[in-house]
Amino acid sequence: RAIRHGVAKDGHPLYLMPSLEYSHFTDDDLGAVIAYLKSVPPVDRESVPVTVGPVARALMVAGKLPLAAEQIDQVAFKAEVIRPGVTVAYGRYLAVGSTGCYGANFSGGKFAVGPPDWPPAANLTPAGDLARWTEKEFFAALCTARRPDGRELSIEMPRAFGQMADDELMAIWLYLKTVAPAPTGVR
């Protein structure tokens, strides 16, 4: 419930849980994530309670910081069944995990929530820089964390993408080629 629905054991919505990015996971993939998490040794330290300060509360009241549990249709939810492969559909399935940073339409821009010094996310639509990259440059950028011009990718860009299988990267590339162009930051 926490990963897929953003809901705690007692039923309250979880804060800062990116369940929108995880809610679409197939049952097999969600099971693999849970199995992995159970395999990680416990950390011997006290948990710090998560508190929401006045700015975050104001953003939530203004609708600028919606909770994932409030955005997921908890009643009609049904996990999609998707087969891995070098397909646009599988690329979309994999890319959804990036919508928290790039927006639902992948146009990037400034983050609505997060430290103000975070750099804006890149525009991954055909209207952004990615349109000028080749497939080979896309693979290289994710695997080396460097853009084709040699600049390092933002430190906020998870380096784990570079560890994805070639078929997964190819599927994401194929999917991003189908995304509608959008001006940067028009999420």
Side-chain angles (χ1 to χ4, degrees):
R1 289 180 61 195
I3 295 171
R4 184 176 272 167
H5 297 280
V7 178
K9 280 193 247 185
D10 66 5
H12 78 271
L14 294 169
Y15 301 106
L16 305 175
M17 182 63 185
S19 294
L20 281 176
E21 286 90 350
Y22 304 140
S23 65
H24 72 289
F25 277 10
T26 64
D27 290 342
D28 288 346
D29 284 349
L30 183 59
V33 168
I34 292 169
Y36 169 75
L37 292 173
K38 286 182 174 185
S39 76
V40 176
V43 176
D44 188 17
R45 67 173 185 215
E46 284 189 42
S47 292
V48 177
V50 175
T51 58
V52 179
V55 173
R57 277 196 294 275
L59 288 171
M60 288 188 328
V61 168
K64 300 287 185 190
L65 183 59
L67 301 175
E70 296 168 348
Q71 298 175 67
I72 297 169
D73 186 340
Q74 304 289 346
V75 177
F77 175 81
K78 185 172 185 325
E80 186 178 358
V81 176
I82 188 88
R83 296 200 187 281
V86 181
T87 65
V88 170
Y90 189 55
R92 180 181 58 79
Y93 172 78
L94 295 171
V96 167
S98 299
T99 57
C101 292
Y102 295 100
N105 67 352
F106 295 93
S107 69
K110 199 76 175 130
F111 290 87
V113 178
D117 61 340
W118 274 5
N123 183 340
L124 301 182
T125 76
D129 288 343
L130 190 61
R132 292 184 289 281
W133 291 13
T134 66
E135 175 187 311
K136 185 177 179 179
E137 290 170 331
F138 175 73
F139 275 54
L142 290 178
C143 293
T144 66
R146 295 214 168 270
R147 298 171 183 272
D149 64 9
R151 290 181 297 143
E152 187 173 359
L153 293 178
S154 169
I155 193 67
E156 286 77 21
M157 175 67 183
R159 299 316 193 239
F161 282 98
Q163 298 171 6
M164 295 176 88
D166 286 351
D167 285 357
E168 294 168 325
L169 292 174
M170 176 59 79
I172 292 171
W173 173 257
L174 290 175
Y175 170 67
L176 290 175
K177 290 300 186 182
T178 71
V179 173
T184 300
V186 179
R187 295 174 178 239

